[in-house]
Amino acid sequence: TDAEVNTRKKTFTEVQTERLEQAERTVLIKCPPKFSEKKLLQYLSSHGNIRSHFFFENRSIHALIEFSEKNSIASLLDAVGIPSAAEHHVVPFKSRLLSFTLKTPVSQAAEETPIHLSPQSHIPVKELIQKLCHADSVSSQMYILLKEFQLTEENIKLRFLACSLVRDFTRAYFADSIVKPFGSSVNTFGKLGCDVDMFLDFHDARKHATKMKKGPFEMEYQMKRLPSERLATQKILSVIGDCLDNFGPGCVNVQKILNARCPLVKFSHQPTGFQCDLSVSNSIAIRSSELLYIYGCLDSRVRALVFTLRCWARVHGLTNSVPGTWITNFSLTMMVMFFLQKRSPPIIPTLDQLKELADEKDKHIIGGYDCSFVSDLSKIEPTKNTETVDVLLSEFFEYFGNFDFRRNSINLRKGKEVNKPESSPLYIWNPFEQDLNISKNVNQPQLEKFVAMARESAWILQKEEKTQQRINKEPWGLAALLTPFGKSNTSKMKNRTKGMGSETIRSLLDSLKLNSASSLQKAVGK
């Protein structure tokens, strides 16, 4: 659609700024079981024009209301009461989370118009597989999967609202702080139901630096000094974590994980239904989010391929929601990007090419690392590659099923295989911190399992005789790839894993048997 094309061409920062501003004009209202949508909107409109709204269910029905003007919220909040403390005593922290009840029950007539609810989670993989079987090609199956799993406009608004509500707490201490999402919520690769990673940023440092130059004096704040930035981060997060825990409406299961490499506060935000991770700004993670945003916006095939492969990897237990020796979604996504850089002609540019297109305002040197790349999408030449997305899927399995992991590493800056600098089984260069391997956690058995699954999948797509399988009502194409390769396939697999150590094959086959039952549950769970 045209609207989509327009939103697609904005820079990452423009989109972020716009959505953060939108969230500031938004309230979230918990509704009673039966009410008239029309009357609610009429009442709210008395406080100002409503720009957009939607309803969703999360234990009860909630309404997200976006006003055109920020002062409409002040007007509304002026008319809001404090809950009567009958059996509980309330913590009198006021926020933009409201709930309304009806003074008089709704008449029969009003109940008849059902309220449209926006889904905030994706359909289970089993249901998806049934949907895919009705499609007419593997390409359309991939786009169906993308449409079912990608974040909706409503869900994105809810994510930015969750950040904005946390910001209301941080502002009590740090007036010009902002809380913004990073990672999958904003990089165009987020799936419905994924966590919200948020950053606390004390920005405006540069703005103040320029203001200070005027006049004869150097004037600065007296501030508490600490021996390290890490200690400051830990202290700040500790206090914000306590605030959320003690005063935050709907913030539950608050965990402060302050000794991690990157200190963070984890919590469940019940009103929006999100699991949230709050950390203090890490500019490199923001750059990674923006880089993926650019790749995701350049060509629709990029997202279709990534969503398909992430779902495939989860179904077969190649990725997992708990940290371990598995390939992470981030590593898998980077493998897809590398593969797309290697096509002839390339589908997306290398990071070095994006850096060459960067101008002054795109220059970012962070902790001694050059993180510069172009932000304006219109400066990037569209690809001349016309391969269809189903061909790319097959070729991905083919490429990594035969990749020389023993010798080569994956480098997205150059877009080519480079000799491994050290002996990790899987070596993917961190695009920015160039001395780090983002897949250092992956062990040999997991890598071999990935290779075996890629070979098996390439084989399934090649032998695909669609008509046969449709007559037999068997899952075909992508649906066949998303069905765990169970016991029936293990004998066939033996022929295709020649050249691997026999122990590896044995553990692989065992893990296949174990996985086939449990992985569908896992795939549905997350």
Side-chain angles (χ1 to χ4, degrees), residues 284 287-288 291 351 369 371 373 413 430-434:
I284 287 190
R287 295 304 280 162
S288 298
L291 178 65
L351 188 47
Y369 297 107
C371 303
F373 56 82
R413 289 203 82 90
N430 182 315
F432 302 116
E433 298 173 85
Q434 287 157 55

Side-chain angles (χ1 to χ4, degrees), residues 104-168:
T104 51
V106 181
S107 65
Q108 251 349 89
E111 283 167 36
E112 280 161 24
T113 44
I115 286 164
H116 169 71
L117 298 173
S118 301
Q120 303 301 319
S121 59
H122 62 77
I123 59 174
V125 175
K126 274 188 173 148
E127 267 177 55
L128 173 73
I129 288 174
Q130 288 165 352
K131 256 192 178 173
L132 298 181
C133 289
H134 300 306
D136 57 0
S137 68
V138 174
S139 289
S140 50
Q141 287 181 324
M142 290 171 74
Y143 283 107
I144 290 168
L145 182 145
L146 173 62
K147 196 169 168 297
E148 289 294 338
F149 278 33
Q150 68 184 356
L151 301 183
T152 58
E153 175 63 20
E154 292 79 16
N155 189 266
I156 294 171
K157 283 184 174 168
L158 210 47
R159 286 168 187 273
F160 276 87
L161 177 63
C163 291
S164 179
L165 293 167
V166 173
R167 182 188 188 178
D168 291 345

Side-chain angles (χ1 to χ4, degrees), residues 16 51 58-59 72 90 94 97 104 132 147 162 180 186 261 282 353 363 372 412 440 451 466:
Q16 288 272 83
R51 181 166 300 180
N58 165 25
R59 288 173 306 176
S72 305
V90 296
K94 296 172 180 173
L97 293 167
T104 51
L132 298 181
K147 196 169 168 297
K180 48 187 173 189
V186 294
R261 192 178 69 86
N282 160 349
Q353 289 164 337
K363 291 261 182 288
S372 311
L412 282 100
K440 204 176 174 58
V451 170
K466 266 196 323 216

Side-chain angles (χ1 to χ4, degrees), residues 300-343:
S300 66
R301 292 170 291 180
V302 177
R303 295 172 67 241
L305 198 55
V306 169
F307 274 81
T308 297
L309 286 161
R310 280 187 176 186
C311 186
W312 166 85
R314 176 52 62 88
V315 164
H316 297 297
L318 296 171
T319 53
N320 201 305
S321 51
V322 292
T325 56
W326 299 272
I327 293 175
T328 62
N329 266 333
F330 184 58
S331 291
L332 181 62
T333 305
M334 288 307 188
M335 289 168 87
V336 179
M337 298 307 148
F338 181 72
F339 164 76
L340 294 172
Q341 292 174 342
K342 296 272 300 172
R343 300 311 290 160

